[in-house]
Amino acid sequence: MNIRKISLILIISLIAICIVSCNTRDANSKETSVCKCNECISFFVATDIHYLAPELTDKGEAFQKFMRYGDGKQLNYIDEIVEAFIYDIKVKKPDILIISGDLTNNGEKESHIELAKKLKRIEKAGTSVYVIPGNHDLKNPWARSFKGNENFKVDTITKRDFVKIYGDFGYDEAISRDKGSLSYLASPTKHLWILMLDTTKYKDNMILGFPETCGYLSEETFEWIEECSNMAKKENAKLIAVMHHSLLDHCQIITKGFTLENNSTAVEVFQNCDIDLVLTGHIHIQDISTYEKDEKSIYDIATSALCVYPQQYGVLNYSLKNGYDYNTCRVDIENWANKKGIQDENLLNFKSYSKEAFMEQSYHNFYDKLLQMGKYTDEEMQKISKTLAMLNLNYYSGVKNTNVDEIKNTEGYKLLKKASPSLLKDYGIHMLCEKKTDNNKLHIPNHQK
């Protein structure tokens, strides 16, 4: 063989090696940010961002009205909240960020595109991102922009659009995809795999004229989950599940539209698949529920909405030795604002600003409901609304067992206790909890009986 042939073979071999090397690096790019020992991994868990692209609002009259009749979402500062969250991620460097749905305010295409750009910055900083849709994200007829005293319809997205926009955040490197939904299986480490489950119902949204709140998992998806479980067991990997809707009830007064419609089937399948931890959102409150049967437990952690007071997220650490440790942490918006040299007093004092804004929103929402009932004087409605707003603040923060005696002694609570039966009364009484439970902290041993 002459020298030219040898040189040509060497060149071709080197090119082939480079191509294989590049392809391998791309395929495993997310693994580079995960704990090398494959025995420990850290997660940030966020949900219900409800991101609204800044270009879609001038924060004028129409937007303020939308905010005023809302449910406490801090949309006037949502871009800043997300930026501060990104800053926290860059500083604390978790291996993985999970976002369990309602990525956007009302499924605006522009909001999805802008949020995806932000998520790309997170991945470039070394944290892998995995997302699933929520009930607000797809084919949403409520997608709007706000200008002056008017709102305007804007483009929303389809299932295909979602996969394209968020391909880098779970879908492109999934080791298995469910054919009938946007569910997928990710394997960030050898010992811990993640089932990202799409529980949304969006196919009829345009016909209905509103996004369906309810969630479910189809029989075909349950079969796929069992297949994923068998794959994991063969590889001696543990499975956790992530979905938008609740697996277990987090508020006994309000379950319809929030708890999975076929949750009893899901619980049975999850137990058979040895899934003992489910991370959820949707309900906007911080709460941990547990299901126990045959000495097996399933924990459903509903992390509170990132866009709502107290703007917190979950921190989950897993190790082969210790199992799971979960706690919550608030986005440090004040620190971010100081670092950026921002002069906005609301951002520089965001904890107190957000708390007061949430209390005011809650107060007015409860007052309006009491007014519609037509049973109370103005003074009574003020007292009851103030107490309900205090309860709501604790409830959303996952600390509903704090200030129990103080709240019980308010005139508003006494009036509520004497009131005739109503959903509002039931909700208010439910929000006051005397059990010494901690909904912001949980430890799950790695080996349950």
Side-chain angles (χ1 to χ4, degrees), residues 35-77:
C35 182
K36 298 295 189 295
C37 64
N38 274 325
E39 292 183 355
C40 59
I41 186 168
S42 59
F43 298 84
F44 277 9
V45 183
T47 188
D48 295 82
I49 298 174
H50 289 280
Y51 184 75
L52 181 66
E55 295 77 15
L56 295 178
T57 176
D58 62 359
K59 298 186 179 179
E61 185 180 335
F63 179 73
Q64 295 303 323
K65 184 178 180 181
F66 180 76
M67 287 273 295
R68 190 161 57 249
Y69 293 102
D71 56 0
K73 299 185 190 78
Q74 205 73 62
L75 295 182
N76 55 330
Y77 283 113

Side-chain angles (χ1 to χ4, degrees), residues 17-29:
I17 289 168
C18 287
I19 291 171
V20 171
S21 175
C22 288
N23 287 342
T24 303
R25 184 167 61 250
D26 289 342
N28 299 318
S29 60

Side-chain angles (χ1 to χ4, degrees), residues 27 48 101 113 131 149 180 191 197 222 230 338 344 353 372 386:
D48 295 82
I113 291 170
V131 306
N149 60 359
H191 296 291
L197 300 176
F222 282 130
N230 291 334
N338 270 303
D344 189 329
Y353 165 77
Q372 291 170 19
K386 184 177 178 181

Side-chain angles (χ1 to χ4, degrees), residues 182-343:
L182 287 171
S183 303
Y184 62 92
L185 175 65
S187 57
T189 71
K190 180 180 178 182
H191 296 291
L192 187 65
W193 294 4
I194 313 170
L195 269 173
M196 301 293 291
L197 300 176
D198 172 19
T199 56
T200 58
K201 298 172 70 174
Y202 53 83
K203 293 179 181 178
D204 297 327
N205 283 354
M206 291 303 178
I207 298 171
L208 293 168
F210 58 86
E212 284 203 69
T213 305
C214 301
Y216 84 118
L217 291 168
S218 69
E219 288 300 319
E220 292 76 17
T221 298
F222 282 130
E223 291 174 8
W224 173 78
I225 290 171
E226 289 170 345
E227 291 171 8
C228 291
S229 173
N230 291 334
M231 289 171 58
K233 287 173 182 176
K234 285 180 182 178
E235 298 297 326
N236 198 30
K238 193 172 182 63
L239 274 182
I240 64 172
V242 177
M243 57 192 198
H244 186 61
H245 294 80
S246 305
L247 175 70
L248 307 173
D249 292 343
H250 291 285
C251 176
Q252 285 67 39
I253 309 303
I254 305 171
T255 59
K256 185 175 175 57
F258 293 94
T259 303
L260 208 64
E261 288 181 333
N262 51 350
N263 73 316
S264 57
T265 303
V267 166
E268 184 179 348
V269 170
F270 286 7
Q271 281 210 310
N272 291 338
C273 294
D274 295 327
I275 297 170
D276 56 6
L277 178 60
V278 186
L279 304 171
T280 63
H282 188 41
I283 198 166
H284 286 201
I285 64 171
Q286 181 67 43
D287 190 76
I288 300 174
S289 293
T290 310
Y291 175 87
E292 295 183 4
K293 184 180 179 182
D294 300 330
E295 297 187 315
K296 280 187 175 183
S297 299
I298 297 180
Y299 299 87
D300 176 357
I301 304 177
T303 299
S304 57
L306 196 73
C307 63
V308 175
Y309 177 85
Q311 282 82 34
Q312 66 186 23
Y313 54 92
V315 178
L316 179 69
N317 290 292
Y318 172 78
S319 72
L320 286 171
K321 182 179 179 182
N322 298 319
Y324 301 106
D325 281 292
Y326 173 91
N327 63 276
T328 59
C329 188
R330 294 186 180 187
V331 180
D332 196 345
I333 296 162
E334 293 168 334
N335 181 48
W336 168 80
N338 270 303
K339 294 286 185 182
K340 288 289 183 180
I342 291 171
Q343 301 299 313

Side-chain angles (χ1 to χ4, degrees), residues 2-187:
N2 61 37
I3 293 174
R4 285 187 66 185
K5 282 189 177 180
I6 293 172
S7 299
L8 184 60
I9 291 169
L10 283 171
I11 290 168
I12 292 170
S13 299
L14 285 169
I15 291 171
I17 289 168
C18 287
I19 291 171
V20 171
S21 175
C22 288
N23 287 342
T24 303
R25 184 167 61 250
D26 289 342
N28 299 318
S29 60
K30 291 214 173 193
E31 292 191 33
T32 59
S33 67
V34 175
C35 182
K36 298 295 189 295
C37 64
N38 274 325
E39 292 183 355
C40 59
I41 186 168
S42 59
F43 298 84
F44 277 9
V45 183
T47 188
D48 295 82
I49 298 174
H50 289 280
Y51 184 75
L52 181 66
E55 295 77 15
L56 295 178
T57 176
D58 62 359
K59 298 186 179 179
E61 185 180 335
F63 179 73
Q64 295 303 323
K65 184 178 180 181
F66 180 76
M67 287 273 295
R68 190 161 57 249
Y69 293 102
D71 56 0
K73 299 185 190 78
Q74 205 73 62
L75 295 182
N76 55 330
Y77 283 113
I78 193 59
D79 193 64
E80 291 84 353
I81 291 167
V82 173
E83 286 297 323
F85 185 42
I86 293 171
Y87 182 81
D88 281 0
I89 290 169
K90 287 181 176 180
V91 170
K92 298 177 181 179
K93 301 184 184 304
D95 297 312
I96 287 173
L97 167 63
I98 286 173
I99 308 176
S100 60
D102 278 359
L103 309 175
T104 58
N105 182 43
N106 273 318
E108 311 85 9
K109 185 175 184 178
E110 192 165 350
S111 294
H112 281 295
I113 291 170
E114 289 303 311
L115 182 62
K117 290 177 183 177
K118 293 179 185 294
L119 299 183
K120 196 63 182 175
R121 286 163 50 202
I122 293 172
E123 289 217 325
K124 284 182 178 178
T127 295
S128 299
V129 181
Y130 297 96
V131 306
I132 48 170
N135 58 295
H136 280 257
D137 289 323
L138 296 165
K139 296 180 72 173
N140 192 335
W142 289 352
R144 294 287 190 278
S145 66
F146 304 90
K147 187 174 182 180
N149 60 359
E150 295 185 68
N151 64 73
F152 303 89
K153 283 188 176 183
V154 295
D155 289 340
T156 184
I157 67 168
T158 64
K159 176 180 175 181
R160 182 178 294 181
D161 295 328
F162 191 89
V163 173
K164 184 177 180 180
I165 293 169
Y166 296 104
D168 289 337
F169 314 116
Y171 290 96
D172 289 349
E173 72 277 359
I175 61 173
S176 181
R177 291 267 309 273
D178 180 32
K179 292 179 181 178
S181 74
L182 287 171
S183 303
Y184 62 92
L185 175 65
S187 57

